[in-house]
Structure formats: structure tokens, C-alpha cells
């Protein structure tokens, strides 16, 4: 199902607002199609931030309905650094992330999509318990855990076992 490799994940350039919308005109879900990248970049564009601040801000803006794990945020920050969308400076034992001109241009090119995500976050009650939203949260958690720090074979097998058990439980529902 998920073939995790041991190299750093780089998104395809086409990965963006045109992917994952379902084609039904309903607009993007909170974190469809790599939407987390856009919202994190938006938060950093508002003011320089540490990873922990990003996690807390996302939790606050979603009304407590969504708290990303460090395993989702820190690899994303590394990816944004690799893409040249943010720069990081040492701030004590933390890194302070600031947006770059390339990041600003990327946000400007995707402004409509970013604004739709921000709007959805400000009304989380609508989507918090939506099955699609929860499935995407699961997908992001699996991907983050499956790629973080070159996971061991045992960790990957544990993730597979959890997914198999969960699938069986859902299929067994009356």
C-alpha cells in the first residue's frame, strides 16, 4: 500500500490545489493534497515561527479540533527548507523559520487555495468529524511515521498491523 523508501520525500511540482479535490466542486478539505504545506507556509509568512509555535497555532486556529504531531510538522519544515520556501536561523536550541521570496511567490500563486484552507480552519466544526478529514489525518500520520528518521522494519510492520486491524474492524461493522 505505502511503499516507504529511505530517502527524503520531495513533492512533485504538480502536487497542489488541482489534486485531491475530488472534482465535485466542494473545495479542499482541511488538509487534502498536501494542504498542510500551504497552511504552514501561510503561518510562517504572517510571522517567523518555531515548529512548536506552528503546532500550537494550528491547534488554536482549528478550535482544538486538530493538533498536528511533531512527526508531521518537522519533516514538513525540512521539506520547505529544501524547496527554498523558508529559511531557518538558530534561535537558542530551536530553529526560527522565516519565509523567503520564493515562498512568498508560491503563496501568491496559490492564494485562492490557501484562503480556502484558512477559511475551513476557522470553521472546524463543519469538517472536524467528517470521515474524509479523519482519513486524511490518518494518511498524513502514516506517511509521517513511515518516513521519519528512517523507520525500522519493526516500526513499519507495526504500522501495517495497525492499519490491517483497523480495516478489519471497519469491515466488521454491522
Amino acid at each position: 500500500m505505502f511503499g516507504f523508501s529511505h530517502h527524503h520525500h520531495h513533492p512533485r511540482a504538480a502536487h497542489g490545489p488541482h489534486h485531491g479535490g475530488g472534482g465535485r466542486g466542494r473545495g479542499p478539505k482541511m488538509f487534502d493534497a498536501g494542504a498542510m504545506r500551504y497552511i504552514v507556509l501561510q503561518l510562517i509568512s504572517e510571522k517567523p515561527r518555531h515548529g512548536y509555535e506552528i503546532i500550537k497555532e494550528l491547534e488554536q486556529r482549528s478550535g482544538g479540533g486538530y493538533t498536528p504531531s511533531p512527526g508531521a510538522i518537522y519533516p514538513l519544515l525540512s521539506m520547505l527548507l529544501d524547496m527554498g520556501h523558508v529559511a531557518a536561523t538558530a534561535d537558542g536550541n530551536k530553529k526560527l523559520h522565516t519565509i523567503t521570496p520564493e515562498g512568498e511567490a508560491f503563496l501568491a500563486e496559490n492564494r485562492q487555495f490557501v484562503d480556502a484552507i484558512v477559511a475551513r480552519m476557522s470553521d472546524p466544526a463543519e469538517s472536524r468529524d467528517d470521515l474524509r478529514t479523519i482519513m486524511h489525518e490518518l494518511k498524513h500520520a502514516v506517511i509521517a511515521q513511515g518516513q521519519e528518521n528512517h523507520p525500522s522494519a519493526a516500526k513499519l510492520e507495526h504500522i501495517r498491523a495497525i492499519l490491517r486491524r483497523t480495516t478489519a474492524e471497519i469491515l466488521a461493522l454491522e
Side-chain angles (χ1 to χ4, degrees):
M1 182 177 198
F2 291 99
F4 294 109
S5 59
H6 292 300
H7 65 278
H8 192 73
H9 174 69
H10 289 282
R12 292 175 297 286
H15 191 68
H18 304 294
H19 290 55
R24 291 189 291 277
R26 294 171 47 204
K29 288 293 181 184
M30 196 178 297
F31 295 113
D32 271 8
M36 178 79 85
R37 168 175 30 147
Y38 298 90
I39 196 68
V40 167
L41 198 56
Q42 174 63 37
L43 292 177
I44 293 170
S45 77
E46 293 168 9
K47 72 173 195 172
R49 297 180 192 263
H50 300 101
Y52 179 77
E53 289 177 278
I54 292 168
I55 292 168
K56 289 297 161 199
E57 186 67 17
L58 285 168
E59 180 179 37
Q60 189 258 325
R61 290 192 187 196
S62 69
Y66 177 71
T67 305
S69 72
I73 294 299
Y74 290 101
L76 178 60
L77 288 170
S78 292
M79 182 187 80
L80 290 170
L81 273 166
D82 291 348
M83 295 172 76
H85 290 175
V86 300
T89 53
D91 184 21
N93 61 352
K94 302 177 193 173
K95 287 183 187 173
L96 188 63
H97 298 85
T98 54
I99 195 161
T100 63
E102 293 83 359
E104 291 279 7
F106 179 79
L107 275 181
E109 290 166 20
N110 294 284
R111 177 52 48 204
Q112 190 173 6
F113 185 61
V114 173
D115 289 348
I117 299 165
V118 170
R120 182 162 297 275
M121 282 188 71
S122 65
D123 186 20
E126 173 191 332
S127 65
R128 181 179 314 154
D129 294 327
D130 179 73
L131 286 179
R132 237 180 104 112
T133 299
I134 297 167
M135 287 186 342
H136 284 287
E137 289 170 2
L138 173 63
K139 177 182 81 171
H140 287 289
V142 169
I143 290 170
Q145 288 294 314
Q147 291 177 335
E148 145 182 300
N149 300 323
H150 304 296
S152 67
K155 182 176 183 179
L156 292 175
E157 189 49 45
H158 192 172
I159 292 169
R160 287 184 198 100
I162 290 168
L163 293 172
R164 286 185 194 110
R165 267 195 322 272
T166 303
T167 302
E169 284 183 39
I170 291 169
L171 291 172
L173 291 173
E174 293 289 325

